[in-house]
Amino acid sequence: MSIKALKFGGSSLADAEHFKKVAAIIKADESRRYVVASAPGKRYADDIKVTDMLYACFKAVRKKQDIEPHFAKIEQRYNQIISELGIDFSLDEEFAKIKYAINHYVGEDYIASRGEYLNSMILAKYLGFDFIDAEDGIFFKENGTFDSERTNDELSAILLQHERAVIPGFYGTMPNGTIKTFSRGGSDITGSIVARAVDAELYENWTDVSGMLMADPRIVKNPKVIRVITYNELRELSYMGATVLHDEAIFPVREARIPINIRNTNAPEDEGTMIVPFADKPNENVITGVAGKVGFSIINIDKSMMNSEVGFGKKVLKVIENHEICFEHLPSGIDTMSVVVSTSDIDAIREDMVNEMFRKTKADYINIEDGLALIAVVGRSMVSQIGTAGRVFSALGNAGVNIKMIDQGSSELSIIVGVNEAEYATTINAIYKEFVKTNE
Ligand code: ASP
């Protein structure tokens, strides 16, 4: 029988109503056998996620405050789900154990992980699936990084003994047996790990949107959903802030070449977005998406005859390295070189850095311009289409946008332009409209 691994996010498991939708989705397809659950998320805009309530317990106990008022609200959230689902189930013993542990100063990660642990127990009971604790099959190394090989071997052996199972997301075990969590949103990673361990044909990631959008809906009105995106394109877009999945969630499935399908729990009939290793069809719009970020600075360095000075670039980058800064781009001219960096990274050290750069490079002139926005136009189909860059630049010219920097990687997967932050939204809209036929 084919196998699908599924992950449901916090908003998909925030209350009993959503649990019912989740159960209907799982029961609609026999191959949906391994389910990763998040902790209950927000039910309405200013609701509090259970994970945040658990972090609040941790803070309270460190300040020697009574955790009871915080913990009572957590118990109430789970008890309400249980009673509205009408299942014969009690978490009282678990609540007592967790409260005891919190009051005896267990680590923050253990406390935070209990949100997914308890929610997964309820979901397993409601579905009639086995409950498998992530602490038994997901491992970290001594240095805190994820131990992918050990996890894959051991988790695979455990899961394949169970026909159907629910596994809590977000955490695993350190070599000394303590619980460690991934970073926030980490249940996406657990879903990917589980998909790889059971060699799933598909990893369905169920959330509250019908897929990834071609542009930020706060900037572009009603952007289209991306139907198919490759892992590499996703990496480029998410680096620029277009997030639909935790950044690290790609790696386990990528290794096993398992596609990911982003789906909407509240609109299960929507196809969502398929994230695939390779796409065989070109993209109908040429571009797959456009995304950007503000908050960059350009360090401009001028020196006559720079072009014939061996090792000039190395000296510049050494100074950047000495200040432990990552650079984004390195546009250069004949006697000029620029380094694009995040403004927040250089704020505290800009004077020292410029002085050191003058000393080490003997440059004629160095200045820093702030207020740069970077916009990435991403699309696998750009490789085969002559004139894509021309279309980007003329769209920006027609919109009156001054381009301050251009970068196209040799993979031809993206074109990156740097513009003034004030022109950020105009730039994204102009590019979107150039490539996507809208009715407006
Ligand atoms: N519950 C955790 C968080 O809020 C992990 C997750 O939902 O993926 O970050």
Side-chain angles (χ1 to χ4, degrees):
M1 200 208 298
S2 68
I3 301 177
K4 289 187 187 127
L6 292 77
K7 176 254 169 177
F8 289 89
S11 58
S12 299
L13 291 167
D15 55 24
E17 232 26 73
H18 280 89
F19 267 70
K20 290 178 189 165
K21 291 184 192 180
V22 165
I25 290 166
I26 295 168
K27 297 277 155 95
D29 180 346
E30 278 277 287
S31 61
R32 291 179 170 145
R33 291 170 46 191
Y34 298 96
V35 180
V36 170
S38 282
K42 291 185 181 196
R43 296 159 294 182
Y44 41 86
D46 48 10
D47 196 13
I48 304 173
K49 293 179 177 189
V50 165
T51 308
D52 290 315
M53 294 158 95
L54 288 160
Y55 281 121
C57 284
F58 175 78
K59 286 213 183 87
V61 89
R62 297 289 129 157
K63 286 191 205 146
K64 308 248 182 300
Q65 289 166 359
D66 182 9
I67 64 158
E68 203 48 51
H70 297 285
F71 205 80
K73 288 192 204 136
I74 296 171
E75 287 183 1
Q76 200 211 330
R77 287 239 13 210
Y78 288 110
N79 284 338
Q80 192 178 343
I81 294 174
I82 293 171
S83 87
E84 288 177 16
L85 289 178
I87 47 176
D88 179 19
F89 190 59
S90 164
L91 286 173
D92 289 349
E93 266 180 41
E94 296 294 337
F95 292 147
K97 265 195 253 167
I98 296 169
K99 242 192 307 191
Y100 179 86
I102 298 176
N103 280 322
H104 288 79
Y105 292 95
V106 289
E108 186 174 27
D109 284 14
Y110 167 84
I111 299 175
S113 73
R114 297 304 90 184
E116 343 301 280
Y117 172 81
L118 296 170
N119 225 22
S120 298
M121 286 185 130
I122 301 177
L123 185 61
K125 172 75 187 174
Y126 185 53
L127 293 171
F129 282 23
D130 297 334
F131 169 80
I132 308 287
D133 195 343
E135 77 169 36
D136 298 326
I138 296 190
F139 303 102
F140 291 90
K141 295 181 189 161
E142 204 70 65
N143 64 6
T145 58
F146 170 57
D147 190 342
S148 95
E149 289 324 307
R150 178 176 177 207
T151 296
N152 199 48
D153 290 350
E154 298 195 23
L155 188 63
S156 193
I158 297 173
L159 290 179
L160 294 174
Q161 287 168 18
H162 299 264
E163 181 77 24
R164 295 173 189 280
V166 177
I167 306 102
F170 194 36
Y171 70 93
T173 315
M174 287 293 286
N176 66 3
T178 56
I179 296 287
K180 175 172 167 57
T181 61
F182 293 104
S183 55
R184 294 298 304 262
S187 299
D188 282 342
I189 310 175
T190 312
S192 181
I193 293 168
V194 166
R196 181 182 171 208
V198 297
D199 200 13
E201 68 178 59
L202 183 67
Y203 167 24
E204 291 182 341
N205 186 295
W206 290 83
T207 172
D208 54 4
V209 290
S210 291
M212 190 169 177
L213 300 173
M214 287 188 70
D216 185 337
R218 290 166 300 186
I219 298 173
V220 171
K221 205 168 142 204
N222 294 329
K224 285 193 179 173
V225 170
I226 301 173
R227 289 271 161 254
V228 177
I229 184 169
T230 63
Y231 292 141
N232 288 343
E233 290 175 307
L234 178 71
R235 179 95 184 103
E236 300 258 350
L237 284 175
S238 50
Y239 185 69
M240 281 298 184
T243 50
V244 67
L245 199 67
H246 191 293
D247 267 357
E248 291 161 45
I250 290 185
F251 299 112
V253 282
R254 182 182 195 144
E255 211 154 309
R257 308 227 160 153
I258 298 167
I260 308 172
N261 189 191
I262 307 289
R263 299 286 292 267
N264 189 347
T265 303
N266 301 313
E269 60 292 348
D270 291 352
E271 287 169 29
T273 300
M274 282 295 283
I275 306 167
V276 295
F278 306 103
D280 38 17
K281 275 207 221 124
N283 198 320
E284 55 164 328
N285 300 303
V286 180
I287 67 164
T288 302
V290 51
K293 272 198 223 169
V294 295
F296 294 97
S297 301
I298 310 189
I299 309 166
N300 295 308
I301 307 133
D302 290 7
K303 187 177 183 189
S304 37
M305 304 302 287
M306 178 194 292
N307 210 32
S308 53
E309 183 178 327
V310 175
F312 186 86
K314 187 176 164 187
K315 288 179 200 155
V316 170
L317 293 183
K318 186 74 199 148
V319 177
I320 302 279
E321 182 193 344
N322 290 346
H323 291 275
E324 295 184 355
I325 292 165
C326 288
F327 66 86
E328 305 285 329
H329 298 279
L330 282 178
S332 64
I334 296 176
D335 285 338
T336 65
M337 177 174 168
S338 304
V339 188
V340 178
V341 293
S342 158
T343 310
S344 59
D345 285 355
I346 58 163
D347 255 351
I349 48 103
R350 60 172 73 207
E351 234 186 275
D352 284 358
M353 184 184 66
V354 169
N355 290 340
E356 187 180 336
M357 220 174 256
F358 264 121
R359 275 200 316 278
K360 299 264 166 69
T361 64
K362 312 265 180 296
D364 301 328
Y365 174 79
I366 300 177
N367 88 322
I368 300 181
E369 272 179 78
D370 294 331
L372 184 79
L374 294 179
I375 290 110
V377 189
V378 176
R380 60 187 177 275
S381 305
M382 294 189 327
V383 186
S384 52
Q385 294 274 338
I386 294 169
T388 311
R391 285 176 71 184
V392 171
F393 302 139
S394 56
L396 296 188
N398 293 337
V401 173
N402 176 31
I403 303 174
K404 299 178 75 95
M405 188 215 86
I406 301 165
D407 200 352
Q408 176 171 26
S410 51
S411 67
E412 288 186 64
L413 201 60
S414 69
I415 296 170
I416 291 164
V417 292
V419 301
N420 269 328
E421 279 176 356
E423 293 175 323
Y424 176 62
T426 312
T427 303
I428 292 194
N429 271 298
I431 295 170
Y432 183 83
K433 289 212 177 82
E434 170 60 34
F435 289 96
V436 184
K437 298 288 154 268
T438 54
N439 297 327
E440 287 149 38

